[in-house]
Amino acid sequence: MAEVQVKDNSGKGGKVRSKKQVPHVDLTPMVDLAFLLITFFMLVTTFNKPNVMDLGLPAKPKDNQKAPDTEIDLTNSISLIIGKDNRIFYHQLDQAGLNEQTLQETTFDRNGITKVIEQAKARAKDQTKFTVIIKPTDDAVYKNFVDILDEMAITKNEIYGVTDIKSWEQAVYDKKVAGTAPSAPATPTN
């Protein structure tokens, strides 16, 4: 580094003396080290991999084939409506039979939805064709949807579908939700 020299004008001679410097710390190596550490940790860090849930989807029909229309018998199916405020409703009825009293509510625990699905499967005419139809509403949260997909694995239901809620089901659901406050729903009994 350069020094500052001050000329002595005191009259005692023309000696030149150097001025004392204030000690300082050079931070250049520290900055270099910081960038090296940042670079190192960026290169060796593994980012979280997204969790992927495997959905068994049917094979697409070939161009010349039309998918067969399948009518699901109501006794061989159950419709689950995922609502707001962690509420879930179910029914096994058609448009004519569904109303506010026949739309049942349960919980997401094993004494709730698990028992409902198992009982509906036991009552089905053909248990090999038992189908669970999952219908999330616009108010449903993603966590509840994932919980229902987990229930399919827990109850060993391989045949299930996810679809939009029908307009007549939405109307009954809206009436049911508007008429009742979220509370602890009753668990199904045998």
Side-chain angles (χ1 to χ4, degrees):
M1 283 186 98
E3 286 186 12
V4 178
Q5 293 185 352
V6 178
K7 190 174 184 183
D8 186 18
N9 292 333
S10 63
K12 296 184 183 177
K15 292 184 181 177
V16 176
R17 60 177 200 202
S18 63
K19 192 174 187 181
K20 281 191 173 180
Q21 290 183 345
V22 178
H24 71 281
V25 178
D26 188 14
L27 294 178
T28 306
M30 190 66 92
V31 172
D32 290 343
L33 180 64
F35 279 111
L36 284 173
L37 286 173
I38 289 172
T39 306
F40 172 77
F41 286 120
M42 283 176 49
L43 293 176
V44 299
T45 301
T46 58
F47 295 103
N48 288 341
K49 293 185 171 104
N51 295 333
V52 178
M53 183 173 284
D54 186 27
L55 294 176
L57 300 175
K60 290 184 180 178
K62 295 183 179 170
D63 293 334
N64 56 0
Q65 288 181 336
K66 184 182 175 193
D69 291 333
T70 55
E71 183 69 29
I72 298 174
D73 187 5
L74 292 176
T75 60
N76 287 338
S77 70
I78 186 169
S79 294
L80 304 177
I81 299 173
I82 306 171
K84 65 178 179 179
D85 299 329
N86 297 325
R87 297 173 77 181
I88 184 165
F89 301 89
Y90 65 95
H91 70 86
Q92 289 183 288
L93 302 167
D94 60 356
Q95 183 175 359
L98 187 64
N99 58 38
E100 292 176 56
Q101 289 75 32
T102 56
L103 183 62
Q104 302 295 315
E105 184 175 3
T106 187
T107 58
F108 281 96
D109 61 3
R110 64 184 160 116
N111 290 328
I113 193 64
T114 305
K115 200 178 265 188
V116 167
I117 293 171
E118 289 171 349
Q119 288 175 358
K121 188 172 186 175
R123 288 189 309 263
K125 286 181 185 174
D126 187 1
Q127 292 183 3
T128 60
K129 293 183 180 180
F130 182 73
T131 306
V132 177
I133 304 168
I134 304 167
K135 300 177 180 184
T137 62
D138 293 337
D139 302 326
V141 282
Y142 182 71
K143 178 195 174 301
N144 292 341
F145 180 72
V146 171
D147 289 345
I148 289 298
L149 291 179
D150 288 341
E151 282 298 324
M152 297 302 103
I154 291 168
T155 58
K156 296 180 175 64
N157 281 312
E158 296 178 0
I159 303 174
Y160 60 91
V162 180
T163 185
D164 293 329
I165 187 169
K166 295 182 179 173
S167 59
W168 51 273
E169 288 174 315
Q170 183 71 44
V172 173
Y173 164 77
D174 289 339
K175 287 180 187 176
K176 179 88 171 186
V177 171
T180 60
S183 60
T187 56
T189 59
N190 289 338

